[in-house]
Amino acid sequence: MKHDPTRLQPVPMRVLESTPENADTTTLVLDCDPSCPIVPGAPGQFNMLYAFGVGEVAISISGTSDDRRQMYHTVRAVAPVSDALCRMRPGDWVGVRGPFGVGWPMLQARGRDVILVAGGIGMAPLRPAVQAVLRERAAFGRLLVFYGARAPRDRLFVSELARWESSRELELGVTVDNGGGNWGGRVGFVVAALGQAQIDPARAIAMTCGPEVMMRAVTQHLLDRGMAASDIYVSMERNMKCATALCGHCQFGPEFVCKDGPVLPYDRIADLLTVREI
Amino acid sequence: MKSMAELIREHPFAAGLAEAHIDTIAGCAKNVVFEPGAFMIREGQPADVFYLIRQGRVATEVYSPRGGAYVLNTLGANEILGVSWIVPPYRSTSDARATDQVRAFAFDAVCLRGKCEADPALGYALMKRFVPVLVQRLSSARLQALDLFGANA
């Protein structure tokens, strides 16, 4: 097997843009020109981002430019490494290993209705799936996107959401847990918004990313409406360290989330999701 | 012009409901329209009405003198507004305010409770439609209260 240096050794990549999404979340645009050994990942994959001198953390790819020369990562500042990444500015350098893992089932989704359900920062890994469908719109059926956020000010990709809202290419349902201010949109848990949508369970494929409690509720709702467990995909989050299925930090039962996931079909992990010990 | 029973039959609420039961509840129903900002239900008042929303959005709210109106959830087309009519003490637990123009079927709950008492099969059929709504809204409210999308969740 050919040794791929991008698996183990961080490649320095330049930050082109740093865009605050909300109070604690920033999107970094990395320069992915053809000379860079890091290739833009597939929707749902992740990279290990290294803030030099601070540490490394797994971050989902939140998009690529149409010409695939720019790669996006949306980072929430919750610990020293992610905080350092959020403070990066254009011209700074970040170490990158990847892309890693199994992404969203975009091939299986072709010809089917695509239901995407995101919660909080979970919108970041699902955005590339939206973009992938929109780039080849005729290859897919309906595109339904449901997004739950804590409050209007916590939504990610606000300008993109506005474009999606007015687009006929997809059906968007944004809901917040707490309204307030001038928010004129929906208030409630994201599953309630999903419940209002007409879906054809036999024709649909679903992908969800967010807190596990939310994903369990989403999955149960879709099962109750007749979807097959094998047509529902969840993106798992565990403590990814090596990202190459060697260290075992991300082990989830028999699965290594970094290699076998992060995207996994629900029927493969259904029995594990309510086991507290893992 | 369609009769009230025919209109109710077209609403998802009526799916699976016996024809005779639809005719019965239609006798307690009327069409209503609320302009944006209008209150459809007031907290603490007798729950003598429930609505099947046909069009528009409604916010259920509680009001605090300090914080103003706090929106608990919003409801839209094909949803049920007002579930307190079916369980004692038949009192509304929140305000409900139209956030845009709302068209709905309004049901006289006092009339309907009387018909349910007289026809337990009707009461059971309606209970089977309202209890899942109560459970779903309770579940949603619990998940909202967990603040799952906050940084520390």
Side-chain angles (χ1 to χ4, degrees):
Chain A
M1 186 177 160
K2 186 184 170 191
H3 171 65
D4 181 352
T6 66
R7 314 301 288 177
L8 297 173
Q9 181 179 327
V11 173
M13 292 180 74
R14 196 161 53 93
V15 175
L16 295 175
E17 293 173 33
S18 170
T19 307
E21 298 285 350
N22 57 39
D24 62 7
T25 305
T26 297
T27 294
L28 299 176
V29 183
L30 303 183
D31 188 358
C32 212
D33 71 52
S35 66
C36 177
I38 300 284
V39 296
Q45 286 191 302
F46 70 95
N47 284 314
M48 297 299 295
L49 300 192
Y50 182 28
F52 294 113
V54 184
E56 193 182 47
V57 67
I59 301 291
S60 296
I61 297 162
S62 61
T64 52
S65 57
D66 287 338
D67 61 6
R68 295 177 66 81
R69 293 174 70 107
Q70 296 174 353
M71 187 163 49
Y72 300 72
H73 293 82
T74 301
V75 186
R76 189 178 207 177
V78 293
V81 182
S82 53
D83 188 52
L85 290 169
C86 284
R87 282 188 278 106
M88 286 189 168
R89 294 292 171 261
D92 287 347
W93 293 84
V94 59
V96 181
R97 291 191 296 128
F100 292 111
V102 176
W104 299 113
M106 302 313 298
L107 274 179
Q108 294 94 315
R110 294 177 86 84
R112 307 183 69 175
D113 293 343
V114 181
I115 301 172
L116 307 178
V117 188
I121 191 74
M123 190 66 223
L126 274 169
R127 185 171 75 148
V130 179
Q131 293 175 332
V133 174
L134 293 179
R135 280 177 187 139
E136 293 185 272
R137 190 64 195 87
F140 300 87
R142 290 167 66 202
L143 173 59
L144 301 95
V145 180
F146 299 93
Y147 176 30
R150 188 187 201 194
R153 64 177 176 277
D154 295 314
R155 289 169 300 155
L156 306 177
F157 317 126
V158 172
S159 58
E160 202 160 10
L161 290 174
R163 284 202 303 276
W164 293 351
E165 181 84 58
S166 59
S167 170
R168 293 183 175 182
E169 307 272 14
L170 76 165
E171 297 157 60
L172 177 68
V174 178
T175 183
V176 297
D177 285 346
N178 300 294
N182 296 322
W183 176 249
R186 189 166 185 126
V187 179
F189 198 61
V190 66
V191 175
L194 173 62
Q196 287 307 298
Q198 298 292 319
I199 65 169
D200 179 350
R203 187 178 154 78
I205 187 167
M207 311 174 200
T208 181
C209 186
E212 272 184 46
V213 176
M214 180 211 87
M215 292 199 294
R216 292 206 304 268
V218 167
T219 305
Q220 193 56 58
H221 176 87
L222 293 172
L223 292 171
D224 289 344
R225 294 184 71 177
M227 280 194 67
S230 55
D231 285 334
I232 303 170
Y233 290 79
V234 299
S235 182
M236 298 299 296
E237 184 179 346
R238 284 294 183 273
N239 183 16
M240 264 86 100
K241 286 290 185 187
C242 73
T244 55
L246 289 173
C247 73
H249 280 85
C250 69
Q251 194 166 355
F252 183 57
E255 316 283 355
F256 287 93
V257 173
C258 70
K259 177 177 74 71
D260 305 316
V263 175
L264 290 154
Y266 176 73
D267 59 347
R268 209 161 107 192
I269 56 166
D271 292 342
L272 301 172
L273 278 173
T274 51
V275 179
R276 293 186 176 199
E277 290 75 14
I278 58 170
Chain B
M1 191 173 145
K2 289 181 178 176
S3 69
M4 180 56 68
E6 287 170 325
L7 290 171
I8 291 172
R9 268 187 197 95
E10 294 171 1
H11 196 282
F13 175 83
L17 206 57
E19 295 291 310
H21 287 160
I22 294 173
D23 291 337
T24 302
I25 67 172
C28 300
K30 63 180 180 182
N31 265 310
V32 290
V33 179
F34 292 90
E35 295 305 320
F39 283 96
M40 298 171 70
I41 290 175
R42 297 307 299 249
E43 178 185 342
Q45 295 300 305
D48 54 10
V49 66
F50 79 88
Y51 300 94
L52 300 183
I53 303 170
R54 303 174 69 191
Q55 191 182 320
R57 182 176 285 159
V58 181
T60 63
E61 302 174 341
V62 288
Y63 182 79
S64 149
R66 281 193 176 184
Y70 183 93
V71 179
L72 301 170
N73 67 344
T74 53
L75 302 169
N78 298 334
E79 292 190 281
I80 293 170
L81 170 63
V83 289
S84 301
W85 75 276
I86 205 164
V87 285
Y90 311 119
R91 186 176 302 120
S92 299
T93 56
S94 62
D95 292 331
R97 197 168 49 82
T99 60
D100 42 33
Q101 190 184 64
V102 171
R103 294 178 182 278
F105 300 127
F107 289 82
D108 179 337
V110 178
C111 160
L112 210 48
R113 280 197 295 266
K115 292 185 177 182
C116 290
E117 288 295 336
D119 180 359
L122 170 65
Y124 183 59
L126 292 181
M127 193 64 87
K128 282 200 293 186
R129 276 161 175 71
F130 278 85
V131 170
V133 173
L134 284 164
V135 171
Q136 286 158 11
R137 291 189 186 160
L138 173 63
S139 173
S140 281
R142 288 155 85 176
L143 292 169
Q144 277 176 261
L146 284 177
D147 192 20
L148 289 174
F149 306 138
N152 299 317

